[in-house]
Coordinates of all heavy atoms in Angstrom, one line a residue:
M1 N 17.6 -30.4 16.9 CA 18.5 -31.3 17.5 C 19.9 -30.8 17.4 O 20.4 -30.3 16.4 CB 18.4 -32.6 16.6 CG 19.3 -33.7 17.2 SD 19.5 -35.1 16.0 CE 18.2 -36.1 16.6
A2 N 20.6 -30.9 18.5 CA 22.0 -30.4 18.6 C 23.0 -31.3 17.9 O 22.9 -32.5 18.0 CB 22.4 -30.2 20.1
K3 N 23.9 -30.7 17.2 CA 24.9 -31.6 16.5 C 26.1 -31.8 17.5 O 26.4 -30.9 18.3 CB 25.4 -30.8 15.3 CG 24.4 -30.8 14.2 CD 25.1 -30.2 12.9 CE 24.1 -30.2 11.8 NZ 24.7 -29.7 10.6
N4 N 26.6 -33.0 17.4 CA 27.8 -33.3 18.2 C 29.0 -32.6 17.7 O 29.3 -32.7 16.5 CB 28.0 -34.9 18.2 CG 29.1 -35.3 19.2 OD1 29.8 -34.5 19.7 ND2 29.1 -36.6 19.4
K5 N 29.7 -31.9 18.5 CA 30.8 -31.1 18.1 C 32.2 -31.7 18.5 O 33.2 -31.1 18.7 CB 30.8 -29.7 18.7 CG 29.6 -28.9 18.3 CD 29.8 -28.3 16.9 CE 28.6 -27.4 16.6 NZ 28.6 -26.8 15.4
F6 N 32.1 -33.1 18.7 CA 33.3 -33.8 19.1 C 34.4 -33.6 18.1 O 34.2 -33.8 16.9 CB 33.0 -35.3 19.4 CG 34.2 -36.0 19.8 CD1 34.7 -36.0 21.1 CD2 34.9 -36.9 18.9 CE1 35.8 -36.7 21.5 CE2 36.0 -37.6 19.2 CZ 36.5 -37.5 20.5
K7 N 35.6 -33.3 18.5 CA 36.8 -33.2 17.7 C 37.8 -34.1 18.2 O 38.1 -34.1 19.4 CB 37.3 -31.7 17.6 CG 36.3 -30.8 17.0 CD 36.8 -29.3 17.2 CE 37.7 -28.9 16.1 NZ 38.0 -27.4 16.2
I8 N 38.4 -34.9 17.3 CA 39.5 -35.8 17.8 C 40.8 -34.9 18.0 O 41.2 -34.2 17.1 CB 39.7 -36.9 16.7 CG1 38.5 -37.8 16.6 CG2 41.0 -37.7 17.1 CD1 38.6 -38.8 15.6
P9 N 41.3 -35.0 19.2 CA 42.5 -34.2 19.5 C 43.7 -34.6 18.6 O 43.8 -35.8 18.3 CB 42.8 -34.5 21.0 CG 41.5 -35.1 21.5 CD 40.8 -35.7 20.4
I10 N 44.5 -33.7 18.2 CA 45.7 -33.9 17.5 C 46.9 -33.7 18.4 O 47.0 -32.6 19.0 CB 45.8 -33.0 16.2 CG1 44.6 -33.3 15.3 CG2 47.1 -33.2 15.5 CD1 44.5 -32.4 14.1
I11 N 47.8 -34.7 18.4 CA 49.0 -34.6 19.3 C 50.2 -34.7 18.3 O 50.4 -35.6 17.6 CB 49.0 -35.7 20.3 CG1 47.8 -35.6 21.3 CG2 50.4 -35.7 21.1 CD1 47.7 -36.7 22.3
D12 N 51.0 -33.6 18.4 CA 52.2 -33.5 17.6 C 53.4 -34.1 18.2 O 53.8 -33.7 19.3 CB 52.4 -32.0 17.3 CG 53.4 -31.7 16.2 OD1 54.1 -32.7 15.8 OD2 53.4 -30.6 15.6
L13 N 54.1 -35.0 17.6 CA 55.2 -35.7 18.2 C 56.6 -35.0 17.8 O 57.6 -35.5 18.1 CB 55.3 -37.1 17.7 CG 54.1 -38.0 18.2 CD1 54.3 -39.4 17.8 CD2 54.0 -38.0 19.7
V14 N 56.5 -33.8 17.2 CA 57.7 -33.1 16.9 C 58.6 -32.9 18.1 O 58.1 -32.4 19.1 CB 57.4 -31.8 16.2 CG1 58.6 -30.8 16.3 CG2 57.1 -32.0 14.7
G15 N 59.9 -33.3 18.0 CA 60.8 -33.1 19.1 C 60.8 -34.1 20.2 O 61.7 -33.9 21.1
V16 N 60.0 -35.1 20.2 CA 60.0 -36.0 21.4 C 61.2 -36.8 21.5 O 61.6 -37.3 22.5 CB 58.7 -36.9 21.4 CG1 57.4 -36.1 21.6 CG2 58.7 -37.8 20.2
G17 N 61.9 -37.0 20.4 CA 63.1 -37.8 20.4 C 64.4 -37.0 20.8 O 65.4 -37.6 21.2
E18 N 64.3 -35.7 20.7 CA 65.5 -34.9 21.0 C 65.4 -34.1 22.3 O 66.4 -33.7 22.9 CB 65.7 -33.9 19.9 CG 65.9 -34.5 18.5 CD 64.7 -34.8 17.8 OE1 63.7 -34.1 17.9 OE2 64.6 -35.9 17.1
D19 N 64.2 -33.8 22.8 CA 64.0 -32.9 23.9 C 63.2 -33.6 25.0 O 62.0 -33.9 24.8 CB 63.2 -31.7 23.3 CG 63.0 -30.6 24.4 OD1 63.3 -30.8 25.6 OD2 62.5 -29.5 24.0
Q20 N 63.8 -33.8 26.1 CA 63.1 -34.5 27.2 C 61.9 -33.7 27.8 O 60.9 -34.3 28.2 CB 64.1 -34.8 28.4 CG 65.1 -35.9 28.0 CD 64.4 -37.2 27.8 OE1 63.5 -37.6 28.6 NE2 64.7 -37.9 26.7
I21 N 62.0 -32.4 27.8 CA 60.9 -31.6 28.2 C 59.7 -31.7 27.3 O 58.6 -31.9 27.7 CB 61.3 -30.1 28.4 CG1 62.3 -29.9 29.5 CG2 60.1 -29.2 28.6 CD1 63.0 -28.6 29.5
R22 N 60.0 -31.7 26.0 CA 58.9 -31.9 25.0 C 58.3 -33.3 25.1 O 57.1 -33.5 25.1 CB 59.5 -31.6 23.6 CG 58.5 -31.9 22.5 CD 57.3 -30.9 22.5 NE 56.4 -31.3 21.5 CZ 55.1 -31.2 21.7 NH1 54.6 -30.8 22.8 NH2 54.2 -31.6 20.8
R23 N 59.2 -34.3 25.4 CA 58.7 -35.6 25.5 C 57.7 -35.8 26.7 O 56.7 -36.4 26.6 CB 59.9 -36.5 25.7 CG 59.6 -38.0 25.9 CD 60.9 -38.8 26.1 NE 60.7 -40.1 26.5 CZ 60.6 -41.1 25.7 NH1 60.7 -40.9 24.4 NH2 60.3 -42.3 26.1
K24 N 58.1 -35.1 27.8 CA 57.2 -35.2 29.0 C 55.9 -34.5 28.7 O 54.8 -34.9 29.2 CB 57.9 -34.6 30.2 CG 59.0 -35.5 30.7 CD 59.7 -35.0 32.0 CE 60.8 -35.9 32.4 NZ 61.4 -35.5 33.6
E25 N 56.0 -33.4 28.0 CA 54.7 -32.6 27.6 C 53.8 -33.5 26.8 O 52.6 -33.6 27.0 CB 55.1 -31.4 26.8 CG 55.7 -30.3 27.6 CD 56.2 -29.1 26.7 OE1 56.1 -29.2 25.4 OE2 56.6 -28.1 27.3
V26 N 54.4 -34.2 25.8 CA 53.6 -35.1 24.9 C 53.0 -36.2 25.7 O 51.8 -36.6 25.5 CB 54.4 -35.6 23.7 CG1 53.7 -36.7 23.0 CG2 54.7 -34.4 22.8
I27 N 53.8 -36.8 26.6 CA 53.3 -37.9 27.5 C 52.1 -37.4 28.3 O 51.1 -38.1 28.4 CB 54.4 -38.4 28.4 CG1 55.4 -39.2 27.6 CG2 53.8 -39.3 29.5 CD1 56.7 -39.5 28.3
G28 N 52.2 -36.2 28.8 CA 51.1 -35.6 29.6 C 49.8 -35.4 28.7 O 48.7 -35.7 29.1
E29 N 50.1 -34.9 27.4 CA 48.9 -34.8 26.5 C 48.2 -36.1 26.2 O 47.0 -36.2 26.2 CB 49.4 -34.2 25.2 CG 49.9 -32.7 25.3 CD 50.4 -32.2 23.9 OE1 49.8 -32.6 22.9 OE2 51.4 -31.5 23.9
I30 N 49.1 -37.1 25.9 CA 48.5 -38.4 25.6 C 47.7 -39.0 26.8 O 46.6 -39.5 26.7 CB 49.6 -39.4 25.2 CG1 50.1 -38.9 23.8 CG2 49.1 -40.8 25.1 CD1 51.3 -39.7 23.3
R31 N 48.3 -38.9 28.0 CA 47.7 -39.4 29.2 C 46.3 -38.7 29.5 O 45.3 -39.3 29.7 CB 48.6 -39.2 30.4 CG 48.0 -39.7 31.7 CD 49.0 -39.6 32.9 NE 50.0 -40.6 32.7 CZ 51.3 -40.3 32.7 NH1 51.7 -39.1 32.8 NH2 52.2 -41.3 32.5
A32 N 46.3 -37.3 29.4 CA 45.1 -36.6 29.6 C 44.0 -36.9 28.6 O 42.9 -37.1 28.9 CB 45.4 -35.1 29.5
T33 N 44.5 -37.1 27.3 CA 43.5 -37.4 26.3 C 42.9 -38.8 26.5 O 41.7 -39.1 26.3 CB 44.2 -37.4 24.9 OG1 44.7 -36.0 24.7 CG2 43.2 -37.7 23.8
M34 N 43.8 -39.8 26.9 CA 43.3 -41.1 27.1 C 42.3 -41.2 28.3 O 41.4 -42.0 28.4 CB 44.5 -42.1 27.3 CG 45.3 -42.3 26.1 SD 44.4 -42.9 24.7 CE 43.9 -44.5 25.2
E35 N 42.6 -40.3 29.3 CA 41.7 -40.3 30.5 C 40.4 -39.7 30.2 O 39.4 -39.9 30.9 CB 42.4 -39.7 31.6 CG 43.6 -40.5 32.2 CD 44.4 -39.8 33.2 OE1 44.2 -38.5 33.4 OE2 45.3 -40.4 33.8
T36 N 40.3 -38.8 29.2 CA 39.1 -38.0 29.0 C 38.3 -38.6 27.8 O 37.1 -38.9 27.9 CB 39.3 -36.5 28.8 OG1 40.3 -36.4 27.7 CG2 39.9 -35.9 30.1
G37 N 38.9 -38.6 26.6 CA 38.2 -39.0 25.4 C 38.6 -40.4 24.9 O 37.7 -41.2 24.4
G38 N 39.8 -40.7 25.0 CA 40.3 -42.0 24.6 C 40.8 -42.1 23.1 O 41.5 -43.0 22.7
F39 N 40.5 -41.1 22.3 CA 40.9 -41.1 20.9 C 41.8 -39.9 20.7 O 41.5 -38.8 21.2 CB 39.7 -41.0 20.0 CG 38.8 -42.2 20.0 CD1 37.7 -42.2 20.9 CD2 39.1 -43.3 19.3 CE1 36.9 -43.3 20.9 CE2 38.3 -44.4 19.3 CZ 37.2 -44.4 20.1
F40 N 42.7 -40.1 19.8 CA 43.6 -38.9 19.4 C 44.3 -39.3 18.1 O 44.4 -40.5 17.7 CB 44.6 -38.5 20.4 CG 45.5 -39.6 20.9 CD1 46.7 -39.8 20.3 CD2 45.2 -40.5 21.9 CE1 47.6 -40.8 20.7 CE2 46.0 -41.5 22.4 CZ 47.2 -41.7 21.7
Q41 N 44.8 -38.3 17.4 CA 45.5 -38.5 16.1 C 46.9 -38.0 16.4 O 47.1 -36.9 16.9 CB 44.9 -37.7 15.0 CG 45.7 -37.8 13.7 CD 45.2 -37.0 12.6 OE1 44.1 -36.3 12.8 NE2 45.8 -37.0 11.5
L42 N 47.9 -38.8 16.0 CA 49.3 -38.5 16.2 C 49.8 -37.9 14.8 O 49.5 -38.5 13.8 CB 50.2 -39.7 16.6 CG 50.0 -40.2 17.9 CD1 50.8 -41.5 18.1 CD2 50.2 -39.2 19.0
I43 N 50.5 -36.8 14.9 CA 51.1 -36.3 13.7 C 52.6 -36.1 13.9 O 53.1 -36.1 15.0 CB 50.5 -34.9 13.2 CG1 50.7 -33.8 14.3 CG2 49.0 -35.1 12.9 CD1 50.2 -32.4 13.8
N44 N 53.3 -36.1 12.8 CA 54.8 -36.0 12.8 C 55.4 -37.1 13.5 O 56.4 -36.9 14.3 CB 55.2 -34.6 13.3 CG 54.8 -33.5 12.5 OD1 54.9 -33.5 11.2 ND2 54.2 -32.4 13.1
H45 N 54.9 -38.3 13.3 CA 55.4 -39.5 14.0 C 56.5 -40.2 13.1 O 57.2 -41.0 13.6 CB 54.3 -40.5 14.2 CG 53.4 -40.6 13.1 ND1 53.7 -41.2 11.9 CD2 52.1 -40.3 13.0 CE1 52.7 -41.1 11.1 NE2 51.7 -40.6 11.7
G46 N 56.6 -39.8 11.9 CA 57.7 -40.4 11.0 C 57.4 -41.7 10.4 O 58.2 -42.2 9.7
I47 N 56.2 -42.2 10.5 CA 55.8 -43.4 9.8 C 55.3 -43.0 8.4 O 54.4 -42.2 8.3 CB 54.6 -44.1 10.6 CG1 55.1 -44.4 12.0 CG2 54.2 -45.4 9.9 CD1 54.0 -45.0 12.9
P48 N 55.9 -43.7 7.4 CA 55.6 -43.3 6.0 C 54.1 -43.7 5.7 O 53.5 -44.6 6.2 CB 56.5 -44.2 5.2 CG 57.6 -44.6 6.1 CD 57.0 -44.6 7.5
G49 N 53.5 -42.8 4.9 CA 52.1 -43.0 4.5 C 51.8 -44.4 4.0 O 50.7 -45.0 4.2
R50 N 52.7 -44.9 3.2 CA 52.6 -46.3 2.6 C 52.4 -47.3 3.7 O 51.6 -48.2 3.6 CB 53.8 -46.5 1.7 CG 54.1 -47.9 1.4 CD 55.5 -48.1 0.7 NE 56.6 -47.7 1.4 CZ 57.2 -48.4 2.4 NH1 56.6 -49.5 2.8 NH2 58.3 -47.9 3.0
V51 N 53.2 -47.2 4.8 CA 53.1 -48.2 5.9 C 51.8 -48.1 6.6 O 51.2 -49.1 6.9 CB 54.3 -48.0 6.9 CG1 54.2 -48.8 8.1 CG2 55.6 -48.2 6.2
L52 N 51.3 -46.8 6.8 CA 50.0 -46.6 7.4 C 48.9 -47.2 6.6 O 48.0 -47.9 7.1 CB 49.8 -45.1 7.7 CG 50.7 -44.4 8.7 CD1 50.4 -42.9 8.7 CD2 50.5 -45.0 10.0
K53 N 49.0 -47.0 5.3 CA 47.9 -47.6 4.4 C 48.0 -49.1 4.5 O 46.9 -49.7 4.5 CB 48.2 -47.1 3.0 CG 47.1 -47.6 2.0 CD 47.3 -47.2 0.6 CE 46.3 -47.7 -0.4 NZ 45.7 -49.0 -0.2
E54 N 49.1 -49.7 4.5 CA 49.2 -51.2 4.5 C 48.6 -51.7 5.9 O 47.9 -52.7 5.9 CB 50.7 -51.6 4.4 CG 51.2 -51.5 3.0 CD 52.7 -51.7 2.9 OE1 53.3 -52.2 3.9 OE2 53.3 -51.4 1.9
A55 N 48.9 -51.0 7.0 CA 48.4 -51.4 8.3 C 46.8 -51.3 8.3 O 46.2 -52.2 8.8 CB 49.0 -50.5 9.4
L56 N 46.3 -50.2 7.7 CA 44.8 -50.0 7.7 C 44.2 -51.1 6.8 O 43.2 -51.6 7.1 CB 44.5 -48.6 7.2 CG 44.7 -47.5 8.2 CD1 44.5 -46.2 7.6 CD2 43.8 -47.7 9.5
D57 N 44.8 -51.3 5.7 CA 44.3 -52.4 4.7 C 44.3 -53.7 5.4 O 43.3 -54.5 5.3 CB 45.1 -52.4 3.4 CG 44.9 -51.2 2.6 OD1 44.0 -50.4 2.8 OD2 45.7 -51.0 1.6
G58 N 45.4 -54.1 6.1 CA 45.4 -55.4 6.8 C 44.4 -55.5 7.9 O 43.8 -56.5 8.1
T59 N 44.2 -54.4 8.6 CA 43.2 -54.4 9.7 C 41.8 -54.6 9.1 O 41.0 -55.3 9.6 CB 43.3 -53.0 10.5 OG1 44.6 -52.9 11.0 CG2 42.3 -53.0 11.6
R60 N 41.6 -53.9 8.0 CA 40.3 -54.0 7.4 C 40.0 -55.4 6.9 O 39.0 -56.0 7.1 CB 40.2 -53.0 6.2 CG 38.8 -52.9 5.5 CD 38.7 -51.9 4.4 NE 39.0 -50.6 5.0 CZ 40.1 -49.8 4.7 NH1 41.0 -50.3 4.0 NH2 40.2 -48.6 5.3
R61 N 41.0 -56.0 6.3 CA 40.9 -57.4 5.8 C 40.6 -58.3 7.0 O 39.8 -59.2 6.9 CB 42.2 -57.8 5.0 CG 42.3 -57.3 3.7 CD 43.4 -57.9 2.8 NE 44.7 -57.9 3.5 CZ 45.5 -56.9 3.4 NH1 45.3 -55.8 2.6 NH2 46.7 -56.9 4.0
F62 N 41.3 -58.1 8.1 CA 41.1 -59.0 9.3 C 39.7 -58.9 9.8 O 39.0 -59.9 10.0 CB 42.1 -58.6 10.4 CG 41.9 -59.3 11.7 CD1 42.3 -60.6 11.8 CD2 41.2 -58.7 12.7 CE1 42.1 -61.3 13.0 CE2 41.0 -59.4 13.9 CZ 41.4 -60.7 14.0
F63 N 39.2 -57.7 9.9 CA 37.8 -57.5 10.5 C 36.7 -57.9 9.5 O 35.6 -58.0 9.9 CB 37.7 -56.1 11.1 CG 38.4 -56.0 12.4 CD1 39.6 -55.4 12.5 CD2 37.8 -56.6 13.6 CE1 40.2 -55.3 13.7 CE2 38.5 -56.5 14.8 CZ 39.7 -55.9 14.9
E64 N 37.0 -58.0 8.2 CA 36.1 -58.4 7.2 C 35.9 -59.9 7.2 O 35.0 -60.4 6.6 CB 36.5 -57.9 5.8 CG 36.2 -56.4 5.7 CD 36.8 -55.9 4.3 OE1 37.5 -56.6 3.6 OE2 36.4 -54.7 4.0
Q65 N 36.8 -60.6 7.9 CA 36.7 -62.1 8.0 C 35.6 -62.5 8.9 O 35.1 -61.8 9.7 CB 38.0 -62.7 8.5 CG 39.2 -62.4 7.6 CD 40.4 -63.0 8.2 OE1 40.8 -64.2 7.9 NE2 41.1 -62.3 9.1
N66 N 35.2 -63.8 8.7 CA 34.2 -64.4 9.6 C 34.6 -64.3 11.0 O 35.8 -64.5 11.3 CB 33.9 -65.8 9.1 CG 32.9 -66.5 10.0 OD1 33.2 -66.9 11.1 ND2 31.8 -66.8 9.4
V67 N 33.7 -64.1 11.9 CA 34.1 -64.0 13.4 C 34.8 -65.2 13.9 O 35.7 -65.2 14.7 CB 32.9 -63.6 14.2 CG1 31.9 -64.8 14.3 CG2 33.3 -63.2 15.6
D68 N 34.4 -66.4 13.4 CA 35.1 -67.7 13.8 C 36.5 -67.7 13.4 O 37.4 -68.2 14.1 CB 34.3 -68.9 13.3 CG 33.0 -69.0 13.9 OD1 32.8 -68.7 15.1 OD2 32.0 -69.5 13.2
V69 N 36.8 -67.1 12.3 CA 38.2 -67.1 11.8 C 39.0 -66.1 12.7 O 40.1 -66.4 13.2 CB 38.3 -66.6 10.3 CG1 39.8 -66.3 9.9 CG2 37.7 -67.6 9.4
R70 N 38.4 -65.0 13.0 CA 39.0 -64.0 13.9 C 39.3 -64.5 15.3 O 40.3 -64.2 15.9 CB 38.2 -62.7 14.0 CG 38.3 -61.9 12.7 CD 37.5 -60.6 12.8 NE 36.1 -60.9 12.7 CZ 35.2 -60.0 13.2 NH1 35.5 -58.9 13.8 NH2 33.9 -60.3 13.1
K71 N 38.3 -65.3 15.8 CA 38.5 -65.9 17.1 C 39.7 -66.9 17.2 O 40.2 -67.1 18.3 CB 37.2 -66.7 17.6 CG 36.1 -65.8 18.0 CD 34.9 -66.6 18.4 CE 33.7 -65.7 18.8 NZ 32.6 -66.5 19.2
G72 N 40.1 -67.4 16.0 CA 41.2 -68.3 16.0 C 42.6 -67.7 16.1 O 43.6 -68.4 16.2
V73 N 42.6 -66.3 16.1 CA 43.9 -65.7 16.2 C 44.3 -65.7 17.6 O 43.6 -65.4 18.6 CB 43.8 -64.2 15.7 CG1 45.1 -63.4 16.0 CG2 43.4 -64.1 14.3
V74 N 45.5 -66.2 17.8 CA 46.1 -66.4 19.2 C 46.7 -65.1 19.7 O 47.5 -64.5 19.0 CB 47.1 -67.6 19.2 CG1 47.7 -67.8 20.6 CG2 46.4 -68.8 18.7
H75 N 46.4 -64.7 20.9 CA 47.0 -63.5 21.5 C 48.4 -63.9 21.9 O 48.7 -65.0 22.5 CB 46.2 -63.1 22.7 CG 46.6 -61.8 23.3 ND1 47.7 -61.7 24.0 CD2 46.0 -60.6 23.2 CE1 47.9 -60.4 24.4 NE2 46.9 -59.7 23.9
A76 N 49.4 -63.0 21.6 CA 50.8 -63.3 21.9 C 51.0 -63.4 23.4 O 52.0 -64.1 23.9 CB 51.7 -62.2 21.3
R77 N 50.2 -62.7 24.2 CA 50.4 -62.7 25.7 C 49.0 -63.0 26.3 O 48.3 -62.1 26.8 CB 50.9 -61.4 26.2 CG 52.3 -61.1 25.7 CD 52.8 -59.8 26.2 NE 53.3 -59.0 25.1 CZ 53.7 -57.8 25.1 NH1 53.4 -57.0 26.2 NH2 54.2 -57.2 24.1
P78 N 48.6 -64.3 26.4 CA 47.3 -64.6 26.8 C 47.0 -64.2 28.3 O 45.8 -64.1 28.7 CB 47.2 -66.2 26.7 CG 48.6 -66.6 26.6 CD 49.4 -65.4 26.0
Q79 N 48.0 -64.0 29.1 CA 47.8 -63.6 30.5 C 47.3 -62.1 30.6 O 46.8 -61.7 31.6 CB 49.1 -63.7 31.3 CG 50.2 -62.7 31.0 CD 51.0 -63.1 29.8 OE1 50.7 -64.0 29.0 NE2 52.1 -62.3 29.6
E80 N 47.4 -61.4 29.5 CA 47.0 -60.0 29.5 C 45.5 -59.9 29.1 O 45.1 -60.7 28.2 CB 47.8 -59.1 28.6 CG 49.2 -59.0 29.1 CD 50.1 -58.1 28.2 OE1 49.5 -57.5 27.2 OE2 51.3 -58.0 28.4
S81 N 44.7 -59.0 29.7 CA 43.3 -58.9 29.3 C 43.1 -57.9 28.2 O 42.0 -57.8 27.7 CB 42.5 -58.6 30.6 OG 43.0 -57.3 31.1
F82 N 44.1 -57.1 27.9 CA 43.9 -56.1 26.9 C 44.9 -56.3 25.7 O 46.1 -56.6 26.0 CB 44.2 -54.7 27.5 CG 44.2 -53.6 26.5 CD1 43.0 -53.1 26.0 CD2 45.3 -53.0 26.1 CE1 42.9 -52.1 25.0 CE2 45.3 -52.0 25.1 CZ 44.1 -51.5 24.6
C83 N 44.4 -56.3 24.5 CA 45.3 -56.4 23.4 C 45.2 -55.2 22.5 O 44.1 -54.9 22.1 CB 44.9 -57.7 22.6 SG 45.8 -57.9 21.1
A84 N 46.3 -54.5 22.2 CA 46.2 -53.4 21.3 C 47.0 -53.7 20.1 O 47.9 -54.6 20.1 CB 46.9 -52.2 22.0
L85 N 46.6 -53.1 19.0 CA 47.4 -53.3 17.7 C 48.8 -52.8 17.8 O 49.7 -53.3 17.3 CB 46.6 -52.6 16.6 CG 45.3 -53.1 16.2 CD1 44.7 -52.3 15.1 CD2 45.4 -54.6 15.7
H86 N 49.0 -51.7 18.6 CA 50.3 -51.1 18.8 C 50.4 -50.8 20.3 O 49.5 -50.3 20.9 CB 50.5 -49.8 18.0 CG 50.4 -50.0 16.5 ND1 51.4 -50.5 15.8 CD2 49.4 -49.8 15.7 CE1 51.0 -50.6 14.5 NE2 49.8 -50.1 14.4
Q87 N 51.5 -51.2 20.8 CA 51.8 -50.8 22.2 C 53.1 -50.0 22.3 O 54.1 -50.3 21.7 CB 52.0 -52.1 23.1 CG 50.7 -52.9 23.2 CD 50.9 -54.2 24.0 OE1 52.0 -54.6 24.2 NE2 49.8 -54.7 24.5
F88 N 53.0 -48.9 23.0 CA 54.1 -48.0 23.1 C 54.5 -47.9 24.6 O 53.7 -47.9 25.5 CB 53.7 -46.6 22.6 CG 53.3 -46.5 21.2 CD1 52.0 -46.6 20.8 CD2 54.3 -46.5 20.2 CE1 51.6 -46.6 19.5 CE2 53.9 -46.5 18.9 CZ 52.6 -46.5 18.5
R89 N 55.8 -47.8 24.8 CA 56.3 -47.5 26.1 C 56.8 -46.1 26.1 O 57.8 -45.8 25.5 CB 57.4 -48.5 26.4 CG 57.9 -48.4 27.8 CD 59.0 -49.4 28.1 NE 59.6 -49.1 29.4 CZ 59.4 -49.8 30.4 NH1 58.7 -50.9 30.4 NH2 60.0 -49.5 31.6
F90 N 56.2 -45.3 26.9 CA 56.5 -43.8 26.9 C 57.5 -43.5 28.0 O 58.2 -42.5 28.0 CB 55.3 -43.0 27.1 CG 54.5 -43.0 25.8 CD1 53.3 -43.7 25.8 CD2 54.9 -42.3 24.7 CE1 52.5 -43.7 24.6 CE2 54.2 -42.4 23.5 CZ 52.9 -43.0 23.5
L91 N 57.5 -44.3 29.1 CA 58.4 -43.9 30.2 C 59.6 -44.9 30.4 O 59.5 -46.0 30.0 CB 57.6 -43.9 31.5 CG 56.5 -42.9 31.5 CD1 55.6 -43.1 32.8 CD2 57.0 -41.5 31.4

């Protein structure tokens, strides 16, 4: 049986705040990754590890709840059909 060799792409955000060329390159990397695999890991984003841990812990607690409790969470923008935990505007 063949093993799946899928690797989650790593996208480095170094320089996106200072260099417009680098910013466009990263946008292209993210776009291509989302169109092909859909998953990626961001590095050098500047978010402290403590904040990431708190976000993951909160997400875990939310999804461990009964489905009826989760259904009661109101979407901030009900007209949208897609809800993401984080929304980024790149352009």
Side-chain angles (χ1 to χ4, degrees):
M1 180 193 272
K3 290 185 178 183
N4 187 348
K5 300 280 185 181
F6 178 76
K7 293 168 90 174
I8 295 176
I10 297 173
I11 298 175
D12 192 344
L13 295 182
V14 158
V16 296
E18 300 84 33
D19 182 353
Q20 287 298 313
I21 294 171
R22 176 69 185 134
R23 180 181 171 92
K24 288 180 181 183
E25 289 172 353
V26 169
I27 291 169
E29 288 177 41
I30 292 172
R31 181 175 288 124
T33 301
M34 293 302 295
E35 291 173 351
T36 56
F39 293 96
F40 57 91
Q41 177 183 359
L42 294 176
I43 61 171
N44 296 314
H45 43 66
I47 301 172
R50 161 186 61 75
V51 173
L52 294 173
K53 182 181 180 325
E54 290 172 10
L56 288 173
D57 290 347
T59 301
R60 186 176 298 109
R61 284 191 305 272
F62 175 78
F63 284 103
E64 287 173 348
Q65 295 180 94
N66 180 289
V67 70
D68 292 326
V69 173
R70 289 185 282 159
K71 284 181 180 179
V73 175
V74 178
H75 189 286
R77 296 181 226 168
Q79 72 279 10
E80 293 181 8
S81 60
F82 175 75
C83 174
L85 293 176
H86 299 283
Q87 293 180 340
F88 298 98
R89 183 181 172 105
F90 290 108
L91 298 175

